[in-house]
Amino acid sequence: MPLTVDDVDRFEVFRPRLEAIAYRLLGSAVEAEDAVQETFLRWQSADVDRIEVPEAWLTKVLTNLCRNQLTSARARRETYVGQWLPEPLLAGDPMLGPADTAEQRESVSYAVLTLLERLSPNERAVYVLREAFDYPHREIAEILDLSEAASQQIFHRAKKHVADGKARTEIDEAAARRVVEEFLAAATSGRTEPLVRLLTENAVVIGDGGGKVPARAKAFEGALAVAKFMRGLFKPSEAKRAILGGTAEIYATSANGDPAIVVLVDGRVVGVMCLEVDAEGIAAFRNQVNPDKLARATERWAAAEHGEPLLSAF
């Protein structure tokens, strides 16, 4: 039985929430959109008049599609060239989802999305549904075909794994911009010492080029090593311009709720550097330069005004 206009409209009401769930589960906007579209196809072929609670039905279908995707993704990531990092979402992207509570904001941070890669598909699903979307364990159990007690146990285990690996400090948009500005000033000073002062003792930097763009797959660790790397990264050279295809424009913004640097060449986002900040300073830099994971960022960037770049470099 074909869907009516009302049936399609009912689905579209839930689409933003479904996309936000799928993104947190998969760490990829492209894969999230595909999962939501597949959920729509399941909705299209279902007898929707017999579905009593559409949101619950759609969430169950989507979550199980994502769990299957995560299982196959693990095999694919074993052959991924270099370090795999999530696809960054720039400020204002609706796929970031709810941000009313600290837990919701933290659940979509780049640091936590990276940590979620350590979890099993079940652990990740329970963590996301409970922490980010406040589903009761009774509903999570129904979605995942678990007992309520099992859902609670999985959540506590998953939350401990995530908590053990993070020490993120929330900062507002103005403070995030100041962090980026201070970092760029230090990185372009030509000296290592100003950078070291901004970093935590155990700071790290890592990048995802997907085998398509040069990136630091093996992490630099320690403030001095990171500072030296960053000093070299922001030093202009013809070789960098050749790799990028032109002169880069660098902006301060936020991505996934964290301070971020966006690098553009001719209106195309060629890199997003997410900064993880804790009480001691900048603790991590995660650099996404894989072009396959920057198409959405380019679209979102082009749709808004951003003023003048902080600097043109490379």
Side-chain angles (χ1 to χ4, degrees):
M1 183 176 178
L3 290 182
T4 66
V5 172
D6 286 345
D7 293 332
V8 174
D9 288 344
R10 287 163 72 195
F11 180 87
E12 292 302 322
V13 167
F14 298 117
R15 182 185 288 274
R17 185 178 184 86
L18 294 173
E19 287 187 344
I21 292 172
Y23 172 71
R24 283 169 167 82
L25 287 174
L26 299 173
S28 164
V30 173
E31 292 179 4
E33 288 174 337
D34 289 345
V36 172
Q37 186 59 27
E38 179 61 30
T39 302
F40 175 73
L41 295 177
R42 303 286 179 93
W43 173 256
Q44 192 174 37
S45 62
D47 185 354
V48 297
D49 290 335
R50 299 185 63 180
I51 297 173
E52 294 182 5
V53 186
E55 181 181 357
W57 188 92
L58 291 168
T59 302
K60 180 166 185 170
V61 170
L62 174 79
T63 302
N64 285 292
L65 285 169
C66 289
R67 281 200 300 170
N68 292 337
Q69 179 80 357
L70 285 169
T71 300
S72 61
R74 287 189 167 217
R76 290 200 311 276
R77 287 169 193 170
E78 287 177 2
T79 60
Y80 191 82
V81 178
Q83 174 72 38
W84 187 95
L85 290 175
E87 179 177 349
L89 297 182
L90 301 182
D93 194 314
M95 198 176 280
L96 288 168
D100 299 326
T101 68
E103 290 79 12
Q104 288 172 335
R105 293 188 294 273
E106 188 172 72
S107 71
V108 79
S109 72
Y110 218 55
V112 168
L113 286 178
T114 303
L115 288 169
L116 291 181
E117 289 294 305
R118 303 178 183 178
L119 305 183
S120 70
N122 260 10
E123 288 173 335
R124 188 160 182 165
V126 171
Y127 180 87
V128 166
L129 292 173
R130 180 63 184 160
E131 190 79 347
F133 295 92
D134 203 28
Y135 279 84
H137 283 290
R138 175 181 52 79
E139 292 184 25
I140 296 173
E142 292 172 359
I143 289 169
L144 300 178
D145 295 321
L146 303 166
S147 69
E148 190 170 343
S151 176
Q152 291 171 337
Q153 290 172 353
I154 290 170
F155 175 70
H156 290 307
R157 186 166 65 241
K159 191 166 184 177
K160 184 178 186 303
H161 285 324
V162 173
D164 284 348
K166 66 179 176 64
R168 177 174 177 264
T169 298
E170 271 203 291
I171 57 177
D172 61 28
E173 190 171 337
R177 184 178 179 87
R178 287 195 299 273
V179 168
V180 172
E181 290 175 344
E182 288 176 10
F183 165 72
L184 287 175
T188 56
S189 69
R191 297 183 296 122
T192 303
E193 294 79 9
L195 276 166
V196 171
R197 287 196 292 269
L198 294 177
L199 307 176
T200 64
E201 183 179 352
N202 299 315
V204 298
V205 59
I206 198 162
D208 177 352
K212 300 181 178 184
V213 175
R216 181 68 189 181
K218 190 177 187 308
F220 278 112
E221 299 182 9
L224 184 58
V226 170
K228 288 180 177 179
F229 172 76
M230 288 298 178
R231 186 186 63 188
L233 181 66
F234 283 89
K235 185 177 181 180
S237 73
E238 288 298 328
K240 291 191 181 84
R241 278 189 284 272
I243 291 171
L244 293 171
T247 298
E249 295 182 330
I250 298 177
Y251 293 82
T253 186
S254 64
N256 296 73
D258 289 319
I261 294 168
V262 173
V263 182
L264 279 88
V265 174
D266 296 330
R268 176 173 54 92
V269 175
V270 298
V272 177
M273 178 185 288
C274 294
L275 283 62
E276 180 184 343
V277 179
D278 67 21
E280 303 300 321
I282 303 173
F285 300 87
R286 296 181 179 88
N287 307 331
Q288 185 55 261
V289 292
N290 183 345
D292 294 342
K293 299 181 183 180
L294 295 172
R296 185 181 179 94
T298 296
E299 292 175 6
R300 296 291 306 175
W301 189 267
E305 290 292 330
H306 302 282
E308 295 299 313
L310 288 179
L311 62 102
S312 295
F314 309 153

